[in-house]
Amino acid sequence: MSDKIILHASDLDGFLTEWDRNALEEIEAMYSSAMKISSEMERASGDERKAKEDELTAVSKAIGYRLENITRQVKSIHVYSFESPREQHGEASRIIAKLRNPATGHEEFLYYIQRAYEILFSHVFADACLNRKRSIIMKTPVDYPCQNYAVHRIPDVDELVHSTVMCVMLRGALLPSMIISKEIEDYSSDGFITPFALFRIKRDESKAESNMNYVLDLGRSFFDLSLLDGKDLVFADPMNATGGSLVTIVKYLKDNGIKPRSIKFINVISALKGALRISRAIPEAKVYTLWMDPMLNDKAYILPGLGDAGDRLNGVDHGSEGRNMIQLIADYGESVVNLYRNQVKEIEKTVLH
């Protein structure tokens, strides 16, 4: 039996409905006009550039409204910037703008990824428990005139998280998975540390989006199938471009008799096509994203996107093989490793055992 599981782009597109294809064509046409304006803006200056910026703003606003309308008709797709109160949209927009900026360096990029996933955790888990809270009584450093204690009421997420397994789609997904696991630890009443399942999957970058292959390397993955059955599987990946990696992994699990209790895919940015593919290929999965981008280019990169999130989070790998899991964690540095020390221990146990 081969230790490589391969899914083709044509398999993914086979899940799309006629309504999906029409929606994608409409959005791609709208974004094509935005790209034309962007190209003209690059060559313009002064009043002409200001006019083009106003034109681009108007088109982008129209795209946003249309994306909101489309995604609201697909119950498994949840976009924070469409579902949260309007007063909170500015924070999400600011975070995405910083992540998009090529001038945002590694440490700042990591900070804004952390901020994004803290917001997403609240949207996915804590907001569902606003009517069910528990008290934290915290001893403070102030002991005069007596020892002080503070009482805090927080959402009781235990029911939602105690069967969670963090499923890591290497490699850009490693740190986001650790962030979500840390949030679960901090919110749960017993400091629950999620188990981890580590999947080595990559897409064939020599191919175009239309004929892409997604390759799951079982020989370099670390997971116990028996621990995944009946569990709440959470996948956290900064970018959902095509949806191919998630569909490949979930299809493999189902083919081996695994029946998850739930599947959640949590992204900072998702392309409309990737979200639609997942919602059709895995009907029980829910896609949560901070921001929805309109389309993919022919290399399967999100537009307007933010580049390669894995490289910007982890640095560029040299050579065809790339760093293994332990090397990647070591390269995060002492401050990150100490912050997520319980998650690091769990990952090391998964890899080494």
Side-chain angles (χ1 to χ4, degrees):
M1 179 178 175
S2 172
D3 64 352
K4 300 284 177 63
I5 306 297
I6 301 175
L7 185 73
H8 303 283
S10 57
D11 299 325
L12 287 170
D13 284 337
F15 292 108
L16 295 174
T17 67
E18 184 177 356
W19 183 89
D20 297 336
R21 294 188 182 93
N22 290 337
L24 289 167
E25 287 178 6
E26 179 186 1
I27 288 296
E28 288 177 10
M30 294 178 75
Y31 191 69
S32 292
S33 68
M35 286 194 290
K36 182 176 182 294
I37 297 168
S38 297
S39 179
E40 293 168 349
M41 197 167 68
E42 276 290 288
R43 301 188 297 270
S45 59
D47 291 343
E48 183 184 0
R49 182 178 177 89
K50 178 62 169 62
K52 290 296 178 185
E53 289 176 350
D54 292 342
E55 194 176 348
L56 181 62
T57 299
V59 172
S60 297
K61 190 174 182 180
I63 292 172
Y65 282 134
R66 188 67 188 110
L67 284 170
E68 181 175 2
N69 181 264
I70 290 169
T71 55
R72 284 190 184 280
Q73 296 181 61
V74 185
K75 295 188 181 301
S76 58
I77 299 176
H78 301 273
V79 184
Y80 176 86
S81 50
F82 297 157
E83 296 182 345
S84 59
R86 187 168 296 276
E87 292 80 8
Q88 296 172 220
H89 293 183
E91 182 179 19
S93 192
R94 178 185 67 91
I95 288 171
I96 296 297
K98 292 295 291 187
L99 291 170
R100 291 199 202 276
N101 190 348
T104 298
H106 170 70
E107 291 184 357
E108 195 176 15
F109 190 87
L110 192 154
Y111 166 77
Y112 282 107
I113 286 289
Q114 289 175 310
R115 287 288 301 116
Y117 272 101
E118 288 166 359
I119 291 172
L120 283 165
F121 177 86
S122 292
H123 189 54
V124 177
F125 295 102
D127 288 355
C129 305
L130 292 180
N131 296 323
R132 187 174 70 246
K133 294 187 177 181
R134 64 181 181 86
S135 296
I136 298 176
I137 300 177
M138 185 60 59
K139 184 177 182 178
T140 81
V142 180
D143 59 6
Y144 181 84
C146 68
Q147 178 60 58
N148 278 253
Y149 290 84
V151 179
H152 296 276
R153 299 281 290 165
I154 68 168
D156 183 358
V157 303
D158 283 359
E159 185 178 323
L160 296 181
V161 302
H162 271 167
S163 293
T164 297
V165 178
M166 291 306 306
C167 298
V168 183
M169 303 191 300
L170 304 183
R171 76 194 227 294
L174 176 59
L175 187 58
S177 300
M178 292 163 63
I179 295 169
I180 291 291
S181 177
K182 173 68 172 172
E183 290 294 295
I184 288 173
E185 177 188 1
D186 289 347
Y187 267 86
S188 61
S189 62
D190 57 356
F192 175 65
I193 308 299
T194 63
F196 282 79
L198 312 173
F199 299 94
R200 177 66 176 244
I201 188 163
K202 64 179 181 179
R203 62 192 200 185
D204 186 347
E205 297 291 352
S206 68
K207 294 183 177 292
E209 192 274 326
S210 59
N211 65 350
M212 186 72 70
N213 288 334
Y214 303 86
V215 183
L216 172 59
D217 187 345
L218 298 176
R220 301 182 68 183
S221 298
F222 304 90
F223 59 90
D224 183 340
L225 278 175
S226 66
L227 298 181
L228 301 178
D229 196 34
K231 300 297 184 180
D232 298 306
L233 306 186
V234 176
F235 296 79
D237 197 327
M239 312 290 283
N240 172 24
T242 66
S245 294
L246 181 72
V247 173
T248 304
I249 292 171
V250 173
K251 184 177 184 300
Y252 165 77
L253 294 178
K254 288 184 172 183
D255 287 347
N256 282 271
I258 301 305
K259 297 178 180 179
R261 190 171 82 161
S262 70
I263 301 169
K264 296 180 177 69
F265 193 27
I266 308 176
N267 319 116
V268 177
I269 293 179
S270 178
L272 177 61
K273 188 173 189 178
L276 287 173
R277 278 171 160 175
I278 290 169
S279 69
R280 305 312 184 195
I282 317 170
E284 70 272 34
K286 293 186 180 299
V287 177
Y288 296 90
T289 187
L290 193 65
W291 200 266
M292 181 68 71
D293 268 2
M295 63 176 287
L296 304 172
N297 63 20
D298 59 7
K299 293 184 177 180
Y301 272 72
I302 298 175
L303 299 178
L306 51 77
D308 190 314
D311 285 351
R312 298 187 71 183
L313 267 176
N314 303 323
V316 179
D317 277 333
H318 299 287
S320 59
E321 295 302 319
R323 287 162 288 179
N324 64 35
M325 184 64 66
I326 305 303
Q327 289 174 315
L328 197 54
I329 289 174
D331 286 348
Y332 284 148
E334 184 178 357
S335 59
V336 172
V337 170
N338 285 340
L339 180 60
Y340 301 105
R341 57 188 177 276
N342 290 328
Q343 286 68 39
V344 170
K345 288 178 182 177
E346 191 67 29
I347 291 169
E348 287 180 337
K349 184 171 69 176
T350 302
V351 172
L352 298 178
H353 290 186

